Amino acid sequence: MRKLELHWQILLGMASGVVFGYLVTSWSGGKDFVSDWVAPVGTIFINLLKLIAIPLILASLVKGISDLKDISKFKNIGFRTIGMYIFTTIIAISVGLGLVNLIEPGKGLPQETINQMVSTYTDNSEISGKISEAHHQKESGPLDFVVDIVPDNIFAAMSDNGSMLQVIFFAILLGICLLLISEEKAKPLKIFFDSLNEVILKMVDVIMLTAPFAVFALLANVVASADNPEILEKLLFYTLTVILGLILMIAVYLLILYIVTKRSPFSFIPKIAPAQLLAFSTSSSAATLPVTMERVSEHVGVDEEVSSFVLPVGATINMDGTSLYQAVAAVFIAQALKFPLDFTQQLTIVFTALLASIGSAAVPGAGMVMLVIVLESIGFPSDRLAVGLALIFAVDRPLDMCRTVVNVTGDAVVATVVGKSVGLLHPPIEKRLKKTYR
């Protein structure tokens, strides 16, 4: 009997994790059991994916660039990638603003609910930490982002997944310099990176064998440690507004995909589904990156010289789902706390959310830091920032899971569109998958 496809295995693990998480909360000591004995399985899985993210980026990007015969092709890839990411981010923010102004979820929030959430979360240390981190980012100079891209020590950069852009910079420089020296001298290093790339991709396959069990552990822990369900019900309209916006954004992606590549969205989604499901489970674009790269290269058919550049860059600067969330959350907080916004302030949200998304860490919780920056840009009182974040803190984690799915989907679509535009999109070659986990 043929095994289930990988995405169905992951879905089964997710469903089992949710059911188990709900059941275990009724047991005495059930939450502690999940925290001590189940959650570590998911943590190990995420650590394994993060472990190979940097080596995979380095190997695949150097290999991809060094295989190019015409360096101008790489320049075309770069400009098209950045342009597409900015374009889709602006669309995402606009969709979020349109929906939150249409539905107005903050205006129907009872005052007792506001008071309850403020008293519960205002003194939360995590909220205070996000505000402090946002203030630190705002104090940086206008060119600090560019300065941070250039590493002073590549080994230090490779030891931190948050320094992904620095690794990309080094890999691009190394790949270009390999093209500029004689083929005879470059050959040994090219062979090394070709071999390293194959080994890392095989490691992705081996790690993915444990994916169904890992997502079971991750979802069980999320459900078992969830906040008061009553608060979640009171934020229902806000939550549904964000989710509706995220669904519309995925529809926009698929429309762009069909227009540019003429490929069916119904065949595209199953090919990247494992990456989407892992994005939902981990809430981290960085942790999902190795799987996204494999699915896009082998299952969608994007050449590695495109996917190895577009996807790591996207995991760092493409935060469409998060940017959409910024727009909805900022206006929702303003509505709930009776802080009126005019057209100019809402336009400011578009530009601030766009700039805040560039360079934002591809890790869980980064959206909350971006939200503080967006709120301060529209003149929201500093002494009420903690109150505003307290309103949405209870549902931030589940919404973070949903918006990470949109981020990863956007990365995959942009890689496919860029691949098509430069003639590097071909029929998929699922060589490793057939041997390992199908």
Side-chain angles (χ1 to χ4, degrees), residues 195-351:
S195 179
L196 179 61
N197 187 56
E198 290 295 318
V199 172
I200 296 297
L201 286 174
K202 178 53 66 177
M203 289 177 68
V204 174
D205 292 338
V206 172
I207 293 170
M208 287 300 292
L209 290 172
T210 66
F213 307 100
V215 297
F216 168 87
L218 290 166
L219 267 294
N221 186 51
V222 168
V223 172
S225 59
D227 291 300
N228 189 345
E230 293 180 3
I231 294 180
L232 304 186
E233 291 173 8
K234 291 172 182 176
L235 290 174
L236 180 63
F237 285 109
Y238 163 69
T239 304
L240 290 179
T241 302
V242 175
I243 292 175
L244 178 59
L246 297 176
I247 292 172
L248 287 175
M249 197 59 212
I250 290 181
V252 169
Y253 288 142
L254 298 180
L255 180 61
I256 293 173
L257 179 80
Y258 178 75
I259 291 173
V260 177
T261 69
K262 305 303 180 187
R263 289 194 174 189
S264 168
F266 300 105
S267 64
F268 178 80
I269 289 296
K271 291 175 181 177
I272 65 165
Q276 292 175 314
L277 296 173
L278 282 180
F280 181 81
S281 303
T282 63
S283 299
S284 172
S285 300
T288 312
L289 181 60
V291 181
T292 310
M293 291 180 70
E294 187 212 34
R295 303 301 297 190
V296 169
S297 296
E298 293 191 12
H299 297 257
V300 178
V302 179
D303 266 21
E304 284 186 5
E305 53 198 74
V306 174
S307 62
S308 60
F309 173 78
V310 177
L311 295 175
V313 170
T316 307
I317 73 170
N318 180 47
M319 298 286 172
D320 290 350
T322 307
S323 298
L324 185 149
Y325 155 82
Q326 309 306 313
V328 176
V331 178
F332 168 78
I333 290 171
Q335 290 171 351
L337 298 181
K338 310 298 188 294
F339 182 79
L341 297 176
D342 57 27
F343 177 76
T344 303
Q345 288 172 308
Q346 298 216 21
L347 200 60
T348 301
I349 291 176
V350 175
F351 291 108

Side-chain angles (χ1 to χ4, degrees), residues 18 64 88 185 219 296 350 355 371:
V18 170
T88 57
K185 291 183 178 180
L219 267 294
V296 169
V350 175
L355 294 174
L371 179 58

Side-chain angles (χ1 to χ4, degrees), residues 377-398:
S377 73
I378 58 176
F380 194 81
S382 298
D383 59 344
R384 303 186 74 188
L385 277 175
V387 175
L389 297 186
L391 289 179
I392 62 171
F393 186 78
V395 294
D396 184 66
R397 173 62 175 173

Side-chain angles (χ1 to χ4, degrees), residues 68-88:
L68 289 173
K69 303 301 178 184
D70 183 6
I71 197 66
S72 65
K73 188 180 289 187
F74 178 73
K75 180 180 68 175
N76 291 335
I77 293 172
F79 282 123
R80 293 174 195 221
T81 299
I82 302 301
M84 277 293 298
Y85 282 143
I86 292 175
F87 174 67
T88 57

